[in-house]
Amino acid sequence: MIRFALSKGRLAAESAELLARCGVDTSVLQEDTRKLVLESADKKFGFFLVKPSDVPTYVEAGVADLGIVGKDTLLEEDKDLYEMLDLKLGECRLCLAGYPSRRDTLTNPHLRVATKYERTARRVFLERGEDIEIIPLHGSIELAPVTGLADVIFDVVQTGSTLKANGLVVLEEVFTGITARLVVNKVSLKTKSGEILPLIQRLKEVLA
Ligand code: PRP
């Protein structure tokens, strides 16, 4: 059996649809259930439904053979696994954003940056030689500049509608081409190559 760690949330439906197009029986994923471990009817595939930020952990540990997760999460988690394929799903950008009237904010030597990508933000500003304060948050990041908790945010922007609804704009695109990726456990790629490699080939054909 091939075991997948799949991201719950915005990538879930698109990931299931892509796998179905590759011949994976994903009908069990359509069920309205609170179960977190699911199996395809033919028992060829298992699915673990996990928070996006936990997908790399499951794949690195080998509990899951394969995972589908955003590049933003891979940058942040920096786990020991193979990133095999860009699945071109859920494209977004990792940006610094804030108030349009304060475009000079980024040069503030005591910049306060709110983010759920703490390690990535730290790396970005370290490379620039800038000493900033990171304010780690878990969600609703746009609220931080609005309430004065932070000067700017470092966050994913997809449609831009959350920024717009809160009066914020992109100040700088830091990483573009943030899409879902297929990741593979290093041992599984060897021990289950007979199942994994044909699946990767089918994914490539469907994506082409
Ligand atoms: C993400 C991100 C932004 C929003 C961007 O949050 O943190 O808030 O999506 O998307 P948009 O550009 O299409 O508006 P998510 O919806 O995952 O929820 P969260 O606030 O709970 O992290």
Side-chain angles (χ1 to χ4, degrees), residues 10 116 138-142 155-163:
R10 49 174 81 201
K116 51 187 170 190
H138 296 99
S140 302
I141 312 298
E142 291 79 1
D155 199 15
V156 285
V157 179
Q158 191 167 35
T159 61
S161 55
T162 313
L163 286 182

Side-chain angles (χ1 to χ4, degrees), residues 119-204:
R119 280 172 281 199
T120 312
R122 231 176 257 295
R123 276 203 302 273
V124 165
F125 283 96
L126 191 69
E127 278 169 19
R128 296 175 181 197
E130 289 171 26
D131 186 22
I132 52 135
E133 181 187 349
I134 303 268
I135 300 174
L137 292 175
H138 296 99
S140 302
I141 312 298
E142 291 79 1
L143 189 59
V146 174
T147 55
L149 179 68
D151 302 305
V152 295
I153 63 171
F154 176 66
D155 199 15
V156 285
V157 179
Q158 191 167 35
T159 61
S161 55
T162 313
L163 286 182
K164 194 169 174 208
N166 292 287
L168 305 172
V169 294
V170 170
L171 299 175
E172 186 187 326
E173 283 186 338
V174 182
F175 296 104
T176 55
I178 300 286
T179 48
R181 308 295 162 99
L182 180 78
V183 292
V184 184
N185 172 267
K186 289 188 163 182
V187 175
S188 300
L189 189 61
K190 290 197 184 90
T191 56
K192 297 188 179 179
S193 60
E195 293 144 287
I196 292 175
L197 293 178
L199 180 60
I200 290 174
Q201 186 54 36
R202 283 203 297 281
L203 276 164
K204 283 183 180 163

